[in-house]
């Protein structure tokens, strides 16, 4: 989703609460930003109380991101030059030497409704049209619409496990394949997967939870002063959204530019060998199954270093992200509760030789 920042223009789009005005919830905001900088982190699962602004924050992030270049007449928002982000039809057109029409569009956020069917998510093939006219008539699903954007699933813990598996497979591979009656259609499905839920309504199975790159917890704000400030900000936005957005325009533009710089810098960021070794030691000490925890921790550390404008990862970078990357991978029994991050941080301090505060 790398793009060149643009100056905001007057549009008829509905005003969205600005990301920089979201008070608190630092864990969730950091996890979302890092996934935008490096979508290969694998998405984020956000668990917390009802009414804590989970969906508001995700929408705010999508609105914050700069517009992206797309092939104008392609339904999958294909990238004009990057073959990994192009549909098969666009690839054929490029191979034939065709000049592609290019336009820009806002990064899309797709909401996945709780009762969605697999056809609604993956898309469907019109068999009658395919047989009678000899064309692959494909009705786009939510995965196609979310390509190069954000796919948000509220109450993901109430979703059918099979459907969650399909979503996670597409998020990991970057492709969605629909097959029916011997006809197959494949299209790019690169998106930042964000799931949210309330732990009181049940957790995801450990096997599915492990597939999410990061896990953030949010809690209801308890300090009365902070609660009053949240209420005031929301009231001000609802009363005069355009004026409220104008007040935060500078902060929004600065954060947008910072994200774009981080996306550009990411490929140049390096993690010293000793730090990589210690990350794997932490995963080993915590008995984390598989290597996904190691990979995500390395990616997240590089992303946060890029966000801070540095080309080399420091110990503090790892400390800030390792809890988000590992806490949900410690649970072996579905009935166990997820670690708050204390166990991960304690092991991190021991491995890295840091005195506990």
């Amino acid at each position: 989703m790398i793009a060149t920042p643009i100056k905001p223009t007057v549009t008829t789009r509905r005003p969205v609460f600005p990301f920089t005005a979201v008070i608190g919830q630092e864990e969730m905001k950091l996890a979302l930003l890092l996934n935008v900088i490096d979508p290969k982190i694998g998405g984020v699962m956000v668990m917390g109380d009802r009414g804590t602004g989970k969906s508001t924050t995700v929408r705010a992030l999508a609105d914050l991101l700069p517009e992206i270049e797309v092939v104008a007449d392609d339904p999958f928002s294909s990238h004009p030059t990057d073959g990994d982000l192009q549909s098969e039809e666009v690839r054929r057109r490029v191979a034939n030497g065709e000049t592609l029409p290019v336009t820009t569009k806002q990064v899309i956020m797709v909401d996945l409704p709780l009762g969605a069917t697999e056809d609604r998510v993956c898309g469907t093939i019109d068999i009658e049209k395919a047989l009678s006219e000899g064309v692959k008539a494909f009705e786009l699903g939510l995965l196609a619409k979310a390509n190069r954007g954000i796919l948000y699933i509220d109450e993901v813990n109430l979703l059918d496990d099979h459907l969650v598996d399909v979503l996670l497979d597409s998020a990991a591979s970057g492709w969605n394949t629909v097959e029916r009656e011997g006809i197959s259609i494949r299209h790019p499905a690169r998106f930042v997967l964000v799931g949210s839920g309330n732990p009181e309504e049940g957790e995801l199975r450990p096997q599915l939870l492990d597939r999410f790159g990061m896990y953030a917890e949010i809690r209801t704000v308890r300090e009365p002063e902070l609660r009053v400030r949240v209420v005031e900000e929301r009231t001000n936005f609802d009363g005069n959204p355009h004026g409220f957005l104008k007040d935060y325009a500078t902060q929004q533009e600065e954060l947008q530019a910072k994200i774009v710089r981080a996306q550009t810098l990411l490929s140049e960021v390096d993690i010293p060998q000793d730090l990589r070794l210690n990350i794997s030691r932490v995963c080993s000490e915590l008995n984390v199954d598989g290597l996904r925890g190691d990979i995500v921790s390395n990616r997240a550390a590089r992303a946060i270093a890029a966000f801070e404008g540095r080309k080399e990862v420091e110990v503090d970078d790892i400390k800030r992200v390792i809890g988000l990357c590992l806490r949900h991978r410690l649970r072996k029994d579905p009935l166990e509760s997820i670690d708050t991050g204390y166990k991960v941080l304690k092991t991190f301090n021991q491995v890295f030789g840091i005195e506990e505060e």
Side-chain angles (χ1 to χ4, degrees):
M1 289 192 295
I2 296 177
T4 304
I6 60 167
K7 291 186 177 180
T9 55
V10 178
T11 68
T12 55
R13 285 194 304 122
R14 184 180 175 184
V16 176
F17 194 82
F19 188 83
T20 51
V22 176
I23 297 170
Q25 317 304 9
E26 299 306 321
E27 264 197 12
M28 173 173 58
K29 289 195 291 186
L30 178 62
L32 290 172
L33 287 171
L34 296 183
N35 271 274
V36 165
I37 293 167
D38 183 3
K40 290 183 179 178
I41 285 173
V44 56
M45 179 70 186
V46 182
M47 280 298 227
D49 304 328
R50 293 179 295 273
T52 46
K54 296 186 288 289
S55 58
T56 297
T57 306
V58 179
R59 286 190 183 88
L61 177 69
D63 187 68
L64 168 72
L65 297 176
E67 292 190 346
I68 55 174
E69 286 191 338
V70 299
V71 177
D73 54 0
D74 181 71
F76 303 106
S77 301
S78 291
H79 194 286
T81 56
D82 188 344
D84 289 338
L85 299 174
Q86 291 176 340
S87 64
E88 293 182 342
E89 175 63 25
V90 169
R91 286 182 175 187
R92 278 195 293 270
R93 291 166 64 184
V94 171
N96 292 334
E98 184 179 334
T99 302
L100 302 174
V102 178
T103 187
T104 58
K105 66 180 286 188
Q106 180 68 31
V107 171
I108 193 170
M109 172 189 158
V110 174
D111 267 302
L112 191 144
L114 196 57
T117 62
E118 187 172 343
D119 282 351
R120 177 81 179 93
V121 172
C122 299
T124 55
I125 300 173
D126 188 334
I127 295 298
E128 282 188 27
K129 192 171 183 180
L131 294 176
S132 61
E133 300 179 23
V135 294
K136 292 183 178 180
F138 180 61
E139 183 179 335
L140 269 62
L142 296 177
L143 293 180
K145 294 176 182 176
N147 187 40
R148 301 183 66 203
I150 297 172
L151 181 62
Y152 177 61
I153 317 164
D154 196 12
E155 308 294 354
V156 65
N157 46 335
L158 301 181
L159 210 59
D160 180 71
D161 278 356
H162 169 65
L163 207 50
V164 177
D165 238 346
V166 169
L167 292 165
L168 290 166
D169 281 341
S170 292
S173 68
W175 291 90
N176 174 46
T177 304
V178 181
E179 294 182 341
R180 188 178 170 197
E181 306 295 338
I183 299 173
S184 175
I185 289 180
R186 183 171 178 260
H187 69 78
R190 293 279 182 93
F191 49 81
V192 174
L193 181 64
V194 182
S196 71
N198 184 346
E200 292 177 2
E201 294 165 345
E203 294 274 9
L204 278 178
R205 288 189 293 114
Q207 297 92 325
L208 292 176
L209 199 54
D210 176 67
R211 303 274 299 277
F212 279 91
M214 306 178 97
Y215 181 99
E217 284 188 349
I218 57 176
R219 294 283 176 261
T220 304
V221 175
R222 298 300 176 194
E223 297 84 354
E225 294 81 4
L226 212 52
R227 292 173 76 111
V228 168
R229 191 177 153 206
V230 171
V231 172
E232 287 176 346
E233 293 281 80
R234 187 71 220 193
T235 303
N236 292 337
F237 173 76
D238 291 340
N240 181 13
H242 293 288
F244 191 84
L245 290 174
K246 189 176 179 181
D247 292 340
Y248 279 90
T250 302
Q251 294 179 45
Q252 290 281 99
E253 288 172 17
E254 288 174 352
L255 182 55
Q256 185 190 80
K258 194 174 179 181
I259 291 170
V260 173
R261 282 196 300 269
Q263 291 173 328
T264 306
L265 184 63
L266 182 64
S267 61
E268 300 177 44
V269 178
D270 179 56
I271 305 183
Q273 175 67 18
D274 59 324
L275 297 188
R276 277 184 277 148
L277 194 57
N278 279 343
I279 287 173
S280 290
R281 281 180 180 144
V282 171
C283 293
S284 180
E285 289 286 332
L286 291 170
N287 195 28
V288 174
D289 291 336
L291 294 175
R292 193 173 280 125
D294 305 55
I295 294 168
V296 172
S297 298
N298 277 270
R299 283 194 173 280
R302 291 177 66 240
I304 199 169
F307 186 61
E308 299 295 346
R310 287 180 278 101
K311 291 187 178 181
E312 186 167 295
V313 171
E314 298 174 356
V315 173
D316 191 56
D317 297 327
I318 301 169
K319 186 174 184 178
R320 289 174 64 186
V321 301
I322 199 161
L324 290 166
C325 299
L326 298 183
R327 73 209 304 182
H328 57 301
R329 305 181 198 281
L330 309 187
R331 190 168 60 121
K332 311 296 181 184
D333 187 331
L335 299 178
E336 287 181 18
S337 60
I338 291 179
D339 180 55
T340 60
Y342 171 76
K343 189 175 181 181
V344 175
L345 190 57
K346 185 176 181 181
T347 305
F348 169 87
N349 288 334
Q350 289 171 351
V351 169
F352 281 80
I354 298 172
E355 289 186 16
E356 293 187 41
E357 296 178 4

